[in-house]
Amino acid sequence: SLLGCFNAIKEKLEVGNLGFGILGSIVFVGLIFGSIAATGLFSNGDWIKPTLILALVLNAFSLYFFTLSKSFMLMIIVRGAIGFFQVFVCIFMPVWVDTFGSESQKTIWLTVNMLASPLGVVLGYTLTYYMNIYHSWEWSFNIQAIAMIPCIGCVIVTPS
C-alpha cells in the first residue's frame, strides 16, 4: 500500500522521486536477506513454528514503527525489516503447511495461504485510498499491523 500513499509520504518526508523509489524498493533487499536467514532457520524442524510466530510479531511491529518514524533513514531501515520478516510468512508458510499439516486440512490451508497475498494487495490499496481521503496514510499501515494479530493467534493455537 506504499504506492497508494505516494504523495502523502513524499510530503511528510520532503523527498523526491528517487528517495521514494529507494523507500519502495528497499523492501526487496530485506526479502533477499530474509530468504538467506530463513533457509537456515527452517532447516531445523523444531524452530519452524516459533520462527513463524516471531516473524509475524516483528512484521506487525515494523509496520507500526514505519508510521511513527519522522526520519527518512529510519523509514528505510524499517521497510527493509518489513521485507525481511515477510519472507518467513509469504515464502515459507506454504512449506510449513505442506510439511506439518494434516492431510485432511492441507488443501484448505494452502488455498487460504496462497489467496492471502493477492487479496491483501487489493484490500491494502483500497484501504489506503480511503485512509488517504478520510484520515491519514499511517492508518492503512496501522490497520495492517492490527489485522496481523488474529493471524498470530491462529498460528499459536495451531498444533505443531
Side-chain angles (χ1 to χ4, degrees):
S1 60
L2 185 70
L3 294 176
C5 49
F6 178 78
N7 289 331
I9 292 177
K10 279 179 60 175
E11 288 174 15
K12 174 184 178 179
L13 297 175
E14 298 176 355
V15 296
N17 290 336
L18 178 63
F20 189 81
I22 292 169
L23 191 63
S25 61
I26 198 71
V27 72
F28 297 105
V29 174
L31 288 168
I32 291 167
F33 285 109
S35 295
I36 294 166
T39 301
L41 287 170
F42 282 137
S43 63
N44 180 352
D46 295 337
W47 286 91
I48 294 174
K49 185 175 177 179
T51 301
L52 284 172
I53 293 168
L54 184 63
L56 283 166
V57 168
L58 292 174
N59 195 15
F61 278 121
S62 296
L63 287 163
Y64 178 66
F65 287 128
F66 179 73
T67 64
L68 296 179
S69 177
K70 306 281 189 250
S71 160
F72 177 67
M73 190 55 67
L74 185 58
M75 285 182 106
I76 287 176
I77 292 167
V78 173
R79 283 285 294 171
I82 290 169
F84 183 88
F85 296 123
Q86 282 178 349
V87 165
F88 296 89
V89 180
C90 296
I91 295 176
F92 293 99
M93 182 70 97
V95 175
W96 181 61
V97 170
D98 189 50
T99 304
F100 299 105
S102 67
E103 290 300 319
S104 63
Q105 302 251 323
K106 203 178 280 191
T107 304
I108 189 69
W109 276 102
L110 286 172
T111 302
V112 167
N113 185 265
M114 298 314 273
L115 279 173
S117 183
L119 287 176
V121 169
V122 170
L123 291 173
Y125 280 116
T126 304
L127 178 66
T128 301
Y129 171 77
Y130 286 107
M131 289 297 111
N132 273 328
I133 292 173
Y134 298 109
H135 298 290
S136 70
W137 67 269
E138 290 94 346
W139 272 103
S140 61
F141 288 90
N142 290 335
I143 290 170
Q144 184 180 352
I146 292 167
M148 291 181 72
I149 294 170
C151 298
I152 295 166
C154 286
V155 174
I156 289 171
V157 299
T158 302
S160 295

